[in-house]
Amino acid sequence: SAESTSEAQPRMASYTCAGGALVTVENFGSSVRVVGPEGESLDLPASPSTQRNRYGEASDAIVLEGREALFMRRGDEPLTCMR
């Protein structure tokens, strides 16, 4: 079904997060580019590299699950976002 968690993520998606923050995710498969609420851009590799739901390095990460994203930055509260 379309709600399956194995559903392919779109190549480009905008997410609205708690508190009204906006996050954009450009998905390359083995990595993603995340543009955060302050316009900062992060390139994050799949972690572990064999899967396509969790991307991250050091203390920055994003988890994509269906239409939901959880965006984590060092020193910030995790952001729960929906597309």
Side-chain angles (χ1 to χ4, degrees):
S1 78
E3 293 306 304
S4 163
T5 53
S6 61
E7 167 195 5
Q9 292 290 330
R11 175 75 165 76
M12 181 72 99
S14 294
Y15 292 83
T16 305
C17 308
L22 290 174
V23 171
T24 302
V25 177
E26 193 172 356
N27 195 317
F28 304 105
S30 60
S31 68
V32 293
R33 176 170 295 136
V34 181
V35 179
E38 277 101 51
E40 72 277 26
S41 182
L42 293 170
D43 288 298
L44 300 174
S47 173
S49 61
T50 52
Q51 53 75 61
R52 296 293 176 263
N53 288 93
R54 188 181 190 284
Y55 298 84
E57 61 186 0
S59 52
D60 299 323
I62 193 162
V63 179
L64 305 175
E65 185 96 28
R67 302 183 67 80
E68 201 169 304
L70 182 64
F71 183 40
M72 292 155 282
R73 305 274 334 255
R74 175 185 24 233
D76 290 342
E77 287 290 311
L79 278 178
T80 301
C81 311
M82 298 290 292
R83 63 175 166 87

